[in-house]
């Protein structure tokens, strides 16, 4: 498996967006209709199906500049929403839909979806949640593994910064981010193991393929993984943000932190204790930025906000990306903005049903969905 070199520290993102019916506020299996409409408009090249039909994936181009990425993603979201509205549908962000019930999901009509359902039963429908993936270009395979180890160590912080999935099945989960809990049930999901080098990755992949549970690296649902066919490291742990602005801020931040690791300013030379990393990931899901998290680089527990502030100071001392303007104010705002899980809870508290009838619930879901959709292009 060869690693295809790409331009170091270029970046791109994938956004999994919810397809919803504005009339009901619920998810709608409209992906194929939406893709057909985008094809008629000659605008489908950067959109793709996911395993279930209530999702459409947006794929950005490769970028050097965050401003250009934001312009493109705003444009693509606008095009997709225009196409959806022709068919009485709309799109929204967030890591989960509050009325997501796995038994209502419909698998996509693809060979891959058939294989996933045969292999994992109900799990792909249960995992009909919504994440953002960030790709960062790497010069070679060894650099990709070294940077991936660091980015995996940062994943609890990434979860805390992007937490936007407090509800499932019309219930408050008690978590800021419930979505990152879902891949842990897979035998090849959750944190990427510490990898000494590229051959160690190949050995890990071979052992998983030998079980029959995976056929390639694409089938392994680690929080972070090298993507050799693209020449990137992919961070997969973010909830899909409610708005484009936050998505781009998180993507550019990921690229900058990857740059610190690439240039040796952020290192993970030994594996972190597995128990500490599992607990840290759990705490990030439960408490968001209010969590106490484990920094494996310094081998200590500290508040998530303090850890993030320390990283911003490190970025200020060693700016790793020299051909793009840094966004310290935008990254700092990730600490001061109202967390998205709190926004979602507040919207539901304001929109929630006034009674116990199905009609009350339907009207509440419509009001709540309208509030969520209004944020997508902000």
């Amino acid at each position: 498996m060869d690693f295809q070199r790409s331009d170091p520290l270029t970046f791109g993102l994938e956004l999994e967006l919810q397809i919803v019916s504005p009339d009901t506020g619920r998810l709608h299996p409209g992906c194929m209709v939406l893709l057909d409409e985008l094809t008629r408009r000659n605008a489908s090249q950067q959109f793709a199906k996911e395993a279930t039909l209530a999702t459409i994936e947006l794929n950005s181009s490769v970028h050097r500049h965050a401003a250009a990425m934001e312009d493109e993603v705003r444009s693509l979201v606008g095009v997709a929403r225009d196409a959806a509205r022709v068919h009485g549908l709309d799109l929204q962000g967030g890591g989960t839909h509050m009325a997501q019930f796995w038994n209502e999901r419909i698998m996509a009509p693809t060979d891959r979806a058939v294989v996933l359902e045969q292999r994992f039963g109900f799990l792909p429908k249960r995992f009909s949640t919504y994440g953002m993936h960030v790709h960062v270009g790497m010069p070679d395979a060894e650099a990709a593994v070294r940077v991936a180890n660091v980015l995996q160590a940062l994943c609890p912080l990434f979860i805390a910064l992007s937490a936007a999935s407090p509800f499932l099945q019309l219930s408050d989960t008690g978590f800021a981010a419930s979505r990152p809990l879902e891949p842990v049930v897979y035998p090849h999901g959750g944190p990427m193991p510490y990898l000494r080098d590229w051959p160690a990755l190949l050995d890990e992949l071979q052992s998983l393929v030998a079980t029959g549970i995976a056929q390639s690296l694409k089938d392994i649902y680690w929080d972070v993984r090298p993507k050799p066919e693209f020449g990137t490291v992919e961070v997969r742990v973010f909830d899909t943000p409610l708005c484009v602005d936050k998505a781009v801020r998180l993507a550019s931040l990921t690229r900058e932190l990857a740059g610190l690791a690439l240039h040796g300013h952020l290192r993970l030379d030994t594996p972190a204790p597995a128990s500490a990393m599992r607990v840290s990931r759990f705490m990030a899901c439960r408490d968001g930025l209010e969590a106490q998290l484990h920094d494996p680089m310094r081998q200590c527990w500290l508040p998530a906000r303090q850890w993030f502030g320390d990283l911003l100071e490190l970025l200020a001392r060693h700016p790793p990306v020299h051909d793009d303007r840094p966004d310290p104010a935008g990254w700092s705002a990730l600490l001061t903005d109202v967390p998205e899980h709190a926004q979602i809870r507040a919207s539901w508290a304001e929109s929630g049903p006034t009674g116990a009838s199905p009609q009350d619930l339907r009207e509440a879901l419509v009001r709540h969905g309208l509030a969520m959709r209004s944020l997508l292009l902000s």
Side-chain angles (χ1 to χ4, degrees):
M1 183 171 59
D2 294 330
F3 189 89
Q4 302 299 317
R5 182 190 186 279
S6 62
D7 289 339
L9 303 183
T10 52
F11 70 129
L13 65 79
E14 303 165 1
L15 283 175
E16 296 167 348
L17 297 171
Q18 302 176 23
I19 303 173
V20 295
S21 168
D23 293 337
T24 65
R26 292 181 178 266
L27 291 170
H28 189 284
C31 180
M32 302 307 293
V33 169
L34 179 51
L35 283 173
D36 286 345
E37 181 66 31
L38 287 166
T39 299
R40 281 193 289 274
R41 296 170 180 229
N42 195 30
S44 63
Q45 299 88 344
Q46 289 177 262
F47 297 92
K49 297 183 287 291
E50 269 294 324
T52 60
L53 289 178
T55 309
I56 190 164
E57 182 180 87
L58 179 157
N59 299 292
S60 82
S61 304
V62 177
H63 288 279
R64 291 185 176 277
H65 301 98
M69 175 180 280
E70 182 168 351
D71 289 344
E72 182 194 36
V73 175
R74 284 186 185 280
S75 175
L76 290 172
V77 169
V79 167
R81 295 187 82 178
D82 287 345
R85 286 166 175 166
V86 168
H87 297 278
L89 302 173
D90 206 344
L91 304 176
Q92 65 188 36
T96 56
H97 188 281
M98 74 174 310
Q100 145 71 342
F101 292 87
W102 73 262
N103 58 307
E104 296 176 351
R105 302 283 66 80
I106 299 172
M107 297 297 288
T110 64
D111 292 342
R112 177 168 173 76
V114 170
V115 169
L116 288 175
E117 194 164 22
Q118 290 172 344
R119 190 179 293 165
F120 299 118
F122 80 110
L123 292 181
K125 291 183 179 180
R126 173 175 147 166
F127 196 26
S128 187
T129 57
Y130 300 85
M132 181 178 84
H133 304 166
V134 179
H135 289 262
V136 182
M138 289 289 122
D140 54 60
E142 292 300 332
V145 168
R146 177 164 50 85
V147 171
N149 283 328
V150 171
L151 293 177
Q152 178 61 64
L154 295 173
C155 273
L157 189 57
F158 291 151
I159 290 171
L161 288 166
S162 67
S165 50
F167 288 103
L168 270 178
Q169 299 183 12
L170 293 173
S171 298
D172 192 319
T173 65
F175 282 77
S178 65
R179 187 201 63 84
L181 302 173
E182 292 292 331
V184 177
V185 303
Y186 285 88
H188 47 14
M192 182 189 79
Y194 180 85
L195 300 169
R196 296 183 311 278
D197 49 27
W198 185 253
L201 171 65
L202 299 180
D203 289 345
E204 188 76 25
L205 176 60
Q206 184 176 13
S207 67
L208 287 168
V209 170
T211 67
I213 208 70
Q215 295 178 332
S216 70
L217 198 54
K218 180 180 176 64
D219 296 329
I220 295 172
Y221 305 145
W222 290 336
D223 296 343
V224 176
R225 65 186 182 192
K227 195 77 170 175
E229 64 269 37
F230 293 165
T232 65
V233 170
E234 179 187 14
V235 180
R236 302 163 44 80
V237 78
F238 298 102
D239 280 353
T240 291
L242 296 180
C243 62
V244 170
D245 170 71
K246 184 166 184 178
V248 175
R249 279 188 285 158
L250 288 169
S252 67
L253 173 69
T254 305
R255 186 260 299 261
E256 297 278 335
L257 293 172
L260 287 178
L262 182 63
H263 299 323
H265 298 300
L266 200 56
R267 301 181 62 88
L268 184 68
D269 295 322
T270 58
S275 58
M277 291 308 297
R278 285 196 301 270
V279 172
S280 185
R281 192 182 189 281
F282 175 88
M283 300 295 276
C285 288
R286 194 187 69 184
D287 299 333
L289 283 171
E290 304 310 313
Q292 291 278 330
L293 301 179
H294 187 260
D295 175 358
M297 275 72 76
R298 294 180 289 184
Q299 293 293 318
C300 65
W301 289 87
L302 71 170
R305 294 176 183 277
Q306 180 183 334
W307 188 8
F308 186 48
D310 292 346
L311 289 170
L312 292 183
E313 289 180 8
L314 187 60
L315 281 172
R317 292 198 303 271
H318 304 286
V321 180
H322 300 295
D323 57 353
D324 194 10
R325 180 179 300 174
D327 185 22
W331 301 328
S332 295
L334 294 170
L335 288 177
T336 57
D337 291 346
V338 177
E340 291 187 328
H341 61 89
Q343 293 181 50
I344 294 169
R345 284 190 167 106
S347 172
W348 182 244
E350 184 176 334
S351 305
T354 56
S357 73
Q359 180 65 19
D360 288 330
L361 175 60
R362 176 180 175 277
E363 291 174 357
L365 284 170
V366 170
R367 290 192 297 270
H368 177 70
L370 181 61
M372 294 301 99
R373 291 190 296 278
S374 70
L375 296 170
L376 188 55
L377 282 170
S378 64

